[in-house]
Amino acid sequence: MDGVRRRTVLGALGGTVAAGGAVGRIRRRESPPGPPDGVRQAPERPRPYEPRVQALLGRMTVDEKLGQLQQLAWSADTGPGAGQNAEAVRAARGGRLGSVLNLYGARKTNALQRIAVEESRLGVPLLFGLDVIHGLWTTFPIPLAQAASFDPAVAGRDAEVSAREARSNGVNWAFSPMLDVTHEPRWGRIAEGNGEDPYLTAALGAAKVRGYQGDDLADNDRVAACAKHLAAYGGAEGGRDYNSVDVSEARLRNLYLGPFAAAVEAEVATVMAAFNTVSGIPAHANRHLLTDILKEQWQFDGVVVSDYIAIRELTVHGYAAGGADAARMALNAGVDMEMASTLFVQYGKRLLRNGRITMARLDDAVARVLRLKFRLGLFRRPYVDEDAAITEPTAAARSAARETAARSMVLLRNHKSALPLSTSARSIAVVGPFGDSPDLKGSWAGPWAVTPRPVTVADAIKAAVPKAKVTHVRGVDAQGRDTDNIVKAVSAARAAEVTVVVVGEGAELSGEARVRSDISLPGKQEELIEAIAKSGAAFVVVLVNGRPLTIGGWLESAPAVLEAWHPGIEGGHAIADVLFGKVNPGGKLPVSFPRAVGQVPIHYNHENTGRPYDPHNPYTSRYLDLPDGPQFAFGHGLSYTTFDIGEPRLSVRRIAADALCKGDTVQVAVAVRNTGRRTGDEVVQLYLRDPVASIVQPVRRLCGFRRVTLDAGKSTTVRFRLSAEDLGFWTHDRDGNFAVEKGEIRLYAGNSSLAGGERTLTIT
């Protein structure tokens, strides 16, 4: 290999391939159930309502058209006229309102909908949007936890239950899934996404879109999904929310855009723009993102909605000269609906008169909103059945939440098989700030978070081992400030056969605007663990948190550590299920855990550099005071059994680039065997590396995964199919050139990003 490679550009693909997936007519993967591959120019979605859309559009005044582009925020429990409530009522009555957010409940939404439908001139129904992120009444694990399942069906199940509960309460639009890939554990919104990998994020995101939307948005148990935030929000400098992002075109397409492309291919109904700038241009005024790529290259025909008052913030960014300028920029860039701020309505008529926006663009935006309302069946059935409203979790929904939570947990450490615990234990101590705390739902549980109360870990352990004496001592508070009870916690641990230490972050420490510069356990929580360890008591640690944590010096003293994340309403039961072996943990980390915050950003899919880490050479990429690599790698996760994963076997060892571009694929087979004594789950992971490329590629990137369940001693073969879209990459061309280059591709199979089994594929 001489280091020079000729490039084959997939020009026929029209610039629509994305990392981990592509947009257009897709051939679905045989394995894993993840992002799609194969792409052709996308046919237009059938529009059976188009004659009615155009007829309605023709009857509208300019004020009514601009009103369809307005979403106002409803303020709950503050009385009439508070916030934008009074304006929402006036605008709905005047036919000058397209949507309301934060209003839910069948009776409440019906009341406002009746004003819009029965009192306005044209009777156009409203959209009701809500941040249904990981559940409504039934709170599922946070999305980061769901990603740890490495099972798209988990995300789909959450979305199905959430859609049913939301739609019955008048909500027909969920602002989810969040598809922001991030390498920043300090960023609080990492809890709301799927971690550091675009392929995994694409798989989970597409599944969640399908779960929300089903086959027909008009069904009374489905809602419109919203892929957010376009784009690169997870790349915010310093992990600070809303901060700037400076990114090359290749990095934008290869890292950040792939999950959105997969969501568009899954026919997501709406897309939300991001708060941040992208290389100096705010996303809400970024025509390259919202129109050139999303609407033209990907042929997205849904609605682009702004984030909360983000159009008004174009002036704060220093990009727009005032409100009129901001409205012009956002509408012309491709935003179709304005959330909370009101610049489209305020300045739209003036902008039309001055020729700063066109009637064609205004009509396009309004038509997109009307099509969504027709797709949701709102013109035919604008109201929901108040008697059928779901107002609490059903038994089936709770069961789904419990199973999902357990499936999302990751066994980080299990020295000398400290877990699972025995159900014959006569005494168990539960210590730590979250041992008897209902604070398990996590961020974005919504304004309804206070009810219903989650099952606590202590109560769940009592239910799992009813004959045992279970005691609880907090030890320290959630902030780790009050340490007066550490001595009592140690006494309880010494008196018990085994102790479960439950520590972590409260929900208020993760989510939007919840950025931490120190991502260790808060306050003196580590002192509690160290005191229990020094006591000589048998113990295990359970972490409940919304982000990767830096796990300090206590790790080696903890026999077992279970990452439970913020597990949701049935989280206590799910934790007990795993602790006592009713469920064998099979989750994997969707994000690297750093050793110290000074390592951030640290992620598996990094570039090699000209001087990669070498322990024998000080002049290489390293820290003087830390070992190389993360504390726990992407894809890491243990089990109560053991598995052997074989080397990847290829259907061909050589394939022509031209053949790949024409649709040929390479099949990869990986054998996996349960070598232990328990039934368990393993996630077979396939990675690739392109070691010599015209644009430097990551040392590894995920290109396939499959979670399998195997009985003790049993084996199976997992098969993956790699196409041009898996083996190539985007160049810096702003028009979107995707390249498959001749040379060697190294493939690795295993159970984490450190997978060792290797084969080489040669592209000729």
Side-chain angles (χ1 to χ4, degrees), residues 15 19 47 204 213 220 299 398 465 483 585 644 677 719 747:
R47 294 177 176 175
L204 273 291
Q213 298 189 170
N220 60 11
Q299 298 187 0
R398 281 186 175 273
V465 194
T483 60
D644 178 72
R677 298 179 179 180
R719 289 180 170 82
L747 296 166

Side-chain angles (χ1 to χ4, degrees), residues 584 639-644 673-680 710-714:
N584 189 346
S639 171
Y640 297 154
T641 187
T642 56
F643 295 91
D644 178 72
R673 184 166 65 93
N674 184 338
T675 56
R677 298 179 179 180
R678 291 174 176 263
T679 298
L710 289 174
D711 293 333
K714 298 298 183 180

Side-chain angles (χ1 to χ4, degrees), residues 103-106 109 128 130 132 135-137 159-174 212 220-223 384 390:
L103 181 61
Y104 64 96
T109 57
F128 292 98
L130 191 66
V132 184
L136 189 71
W137 303 123
E160 288 176 2
V161 172
S162 298
R164 185 177 302 113
E165 292 180 354
R167 190 70 182 257
S168 79
N169 282 276
V171 174
N172 44 49
W173 188 6
Y212 282 131
N220 60 11
D221 59 353
R222 300 295 179 177
V223 298
V384 295
I390 299 171

Side-chain angles (χ1 to χ4, degrees), residues 46-79:
R47 294 177 176 175
Y49 311 112
E50 197 61 21
R52 296 181 64 187
V53 168
Q54 295 304 320
L56 187 54
L57 196 60
R59 296 174 60 197
M60 284 183 168
T61 66
V62 170
D63 284 331
E64 288 169 334
K65 289 178 180 180
L66 291 169
Q68 285 301 305
L69 310 188
Q70 180 67 67
Q71 181 181 71
L72 293 176
W74 192 268
S75 299
D77 302 322
T78 55

